[in-house]
Amino acid sequence: MRKVFVFLKFLFVVLFHGVGACFSGQAGQPNVLFISVDDLNDWVGCLEGHSQALTPNLDRLAASGVLFTNAHCPAPACNPSRTAIMTGIAPNRSGLYDNRQKMRELLPGAELLPRYFSRHGYWSAGSGKILHYFIDAQSWDDYFPAKESENPFPRTFYPKQRPVNLPRGGPWQYVETDWASLDVSDEEYGGDWLVSKWISEQLLKNHEKPFFLACGIYRPHEPWFVPKNYFEKFPLDEIQLPAGYRENDLEDLPSAGKRRGPNRYFAHIRKEGQWKQAIQGYLASIAFSDAMVGRVLAALNNGPNRDNTIVVLWSDHGWHLGEKEHWQKFTAWRVCTRVPLMIRVPRGVPGLVEGTQAGTRCDAPVNLLSLFSTLTELAGLPMNPASSGPSLVPLLNDATASWPHVSLTYLNEPGSYGLSGKNHRLIHYANGDEELYDIKVDPFEWNNLAQSAEHKELMETLRSQAPVVFAPKGGSEKRQR
Ligand SMILES: [Ca+2]
Ligand SMILES: [Ca+2]
């Protein structure tokens, strides 16, 4: 009898530790590899935003899990988008709507994703740009470069003489708006190469605790300076203009849309004969960022954490390259709100035991604001009551699951937003102007349907799903509803 008991005890230990060995955490919790790519629109092979985009690594990642084809950012600018993603608090609740506002002034007590995970037994580390030009040292256990520096950028090669290709149009022009093929190797270039190196080193190690590891790839954010190897993939005489560009596209817009569209950048770039050169620079920068992601994914694949790590990749917002006569970001059109979002979940994860199915595409309207609750649910952590985006776990489980939500993108003035549904998008400006698009037949939003009588009811339905309370700009958490 005693022998049987000892055997059963042995069996229990083997089984328990055998299962435990699949996961790093004492509680069997999965690791999280959280990859952001800055300013990457849908010019990704698997999203088909530009026929020449070269992103084999992103495409492979997407094919290995769930690709969200109708994902949108919380705001079309770095700071409000990243703040919302990392806190789970939408701009209309935080009052943080633009790049000039300071996250810690508005949200002094907000707990960011990495701190939330480390409070629940994780080791949280990051590298590169995750927040808007600062690290927020208090939120991380480790960082590269050192978190105390509050500078998320490692050594990066920059040409001595600048601008290189796009002359300055005036004091209004962002100094980084420029592009150049650099005669350096990836290693000499540094920047994201160093970020991906540090992240890879962490992925190749065994860790005592499960990890939350954030990899912030900075390209294709301007300046579009990358090693020449990436420019050579896109010969200038073969460059295709954006498929979404259409002359006279602004004619059917309300006055707020007409004001939001044309900016001095695009006019300046065309005047200087640099449109194709700029597209080449963006494509080269995307190819470079894809290669850096590839290094990270290879390290994950070749290391001890391959089978127990959730991988999520996202970009903070899209980007215009001439569509609606606009350059850059800050608009509510789909070209600017739609982002790559791909999630791969291994089997055995507490919130999704079967894991994700390779090759899944999901066209439900989702928002990056949901990442907080999605990751905590997957890892089996308690829900953070401060985070408001609905968890994507039902869609990770079944891409066709019922999804009653719309996806909100907040512009830089309270009351202005883009609302993305499954088939339609509504843009509402604070002055009452509106636009409506049927994205199934008009993905580039050329035909504004807001004035057509037959869509009146649809617009009312969509409008009823938008928030009615908007914290004033600079408002604090206390003003949240
Ligand atoms: Ca950005
Ligand atoms: Ca139009």
Side-chain angles (χ1 to χ4, degrees), residues 372-429:
F372 205 121
S373 53
T374 304
L375 291 172
T376 51
E377 185 179 351
L378 286 172
L381 306 186
M383 271 318 191
N384 177 4
S387 107
S388 62
S391 166
L392 304 176
V393 170
L395 295 172
L396 293 173
N397 184 44
D398 172 6
T400 62
S402 159
W403 185 254
H405 312 284
V406 294
S407 178
L408 265 297
T409 302
Y410 296 88
L411 290 179
N412 59 347
E413 54 192 0
S416 293
Y417 57 83
L419 180 154
S420 305
K422 186 155 182 169
N423 300 317
H424 294 87
R425 295 191 70 253
L426 174 75
I427 296 175
H428 180 95
Y429 298 98

Side-chain angles (χ1 to χ4, degrees), residues 343-475:
I343 303 178
R344 181 176 78 205
V345 182
R347 289 170 71 88
V349 162
L352 189 65
V353 176
E354 292 298 311
T356 45
Q357 190 106 42
T360 305
R361 291 171 75 97
C362 177
D363 66 353
V366 301
N367 196 280
L368 300 178
L369 185 67
S370 289
L371 289 178
F372 205 121
S373 53
T374 304
L375 291 172
T376 51
E377 185 179 351
L378 286 172
L381 306 186
M383 271 318 191
N384 177 4
S387 107
S388 62
S391 166
L392 304 176
V393 170
L395 295 172
L396 293 173
N397 184 44
D398 172 6
T400 62
S402 159
W403 185 254
H405 312 284
V406 294
S407 178
L408 265 297
T409 302
Y410 296 88
L411 290 179
N412 59 347
E413 54 192 0
S416 293
Y417 57 83
L419 180 154
S420 305
K422 186 155 182 169
N423 300 317
H424 294 87
R425 295 191 70 253
L426 174 75
I427 296 175
H428 180 95
Y429 298 98
N431 71 350
D433 283 353
E434 287 186 321
E435 300 165 32
L436 177 75
Y437 299 100
D438 180 343
I439 57 169
K440 285 283 180 229
V441 299
D442 180 24
F444 299 121
E445 302 184 323
W446 288 334
N447 301 310
N448 174 19
L449 305 170
Q451 299 306 321
S452 86
E454 62 178 299
H455 293 100
K456 207 161 171 268
E457 208 173 309
L458 171 66
M459 286 176 75
E460 275 169 24
T461 307
L462 292 173
R463 218 180 283 123
S464 73
Q465 292 172 276
V468 290
V469 176
F470 295 85
K473 202 166 184 171

Side-chain angles (χ1 to χ4, degrees), residues 38-39 78 82 129 221 316-317 329:
D38 205 347
D39 289 12
C78 300
R82 288 163 183 264
K129 184 178 165 188
H221 191 289
D316 58 352
H317 50 76
K329 37 205 174 184

Side-chain angles (χ1 to χ4, degrees), residues 86-89 104 107-120 139 372 384 386 477:
M86 297 305 283
T87 60
I89 302 171
R104 282 301 177 200
L107 300 166
E111 190 170 45
L112 270 51
L113 258 174
R115 178 52 59 215
Y116 193 84
F117 270 76
S118 56
R119 193 158 60 77
H120 290 91
S139 291
F372 205 121
N384 177 4
E477 279 183 288

Side-chain angles (χ1 to χ4, degrees), residues 200-226:
S200 298
E201 286 162 3
Q202 312 316 309
L203 291 170
L204 289 166
K205 285 183 204 162
N206 278 304
H207 297 262
E208 275 179 29
K209 294 178 175 182
F211 59 75
F212 176 92
L213 188 59
C215 171
I217 300 295
Y218 189 39
R219 293 288 175 275
H221 191 289
E222 299 172 312
W224 295 333
F225 297 160
V226 290

Side-chain angles (χ1 to χ4, degrees), residues 24-186:
S24 323
Q26 288 161 349
Q29 284 166 318
N31 304 307
V32 178
L33 173 59
F34 186 77
I35 305 171
S36 74
V37 184
D38 205 347
D39 289 12
L40 175 62
N41 63 13
D42 63 2
W43 290 16
V44 176
C46 56
L47 290 173
E48 298 170 354
H50 192 288
S51 60
Q52 293 173 298
L54 287 179
T55 56
N57 294 292
L58 267 66
D59 298 345
R60 256 196 304 277
L61 174 63
S64 72
V66 179
L67 172 67
F68 288 92
T69 60
N70 194 8
H72 300 265
C73 56
C78 300
N79 191 34
S81 180
R82 288 163 183 264
T83 298
I85 292 163
M86 297 305 283
T87 60
I89 302 171
N92 73 316
R93 293 173 58 222
S94 66
L96 195 153
Y97 295 94
D98 78 27
N99 278 349
R100 286 164 299 184
Q101 296 172 283
K102 300 271 183 240
M103 184 189 85
R104 282 301 177 200
E105 281 176 18
L106 269 68
L107 300 166
E111 190 170 45
L112 270 51
L113 258 174
R115 178 52 59 215
Y116 193 84
F117 270 76
S118 56
R119 193 158 60 77
H120 290 91
Y122 276 69
W123 175 71
S124 284
S127 181
K129 184 178 165 188
I130 297 296
L131 293 164
H132 190 55
Y133 300 114
F134 70 112
I135 290 173
D136 198 48
Q138 61 181 300
S139 291
W140 306 88
D141 298 318
D142 200 1
Y143 214 91
F144 172 77
K147 60 182 180 176
E148 294 74 20
S149 71
E150 285 296 346
N151 175 8
F153 301 106
R155 155 186 77 76
T156 308
F157 181 90
Y158 279 81
K160 287 196 175 63
Q161 294 291 321
R162 295 177 60 189
V164 184
N165 282 304
L166 183 68
R168 299 265 148 83
W172 51 267
Q173 189 180 327
Y174 178 47
V175 294
E176 305 281 50
T177 302
D178 196 8
W179 29 87
S181 166
L182 306 179
D183 190 9
V184 291
S185 67
D186 290 3

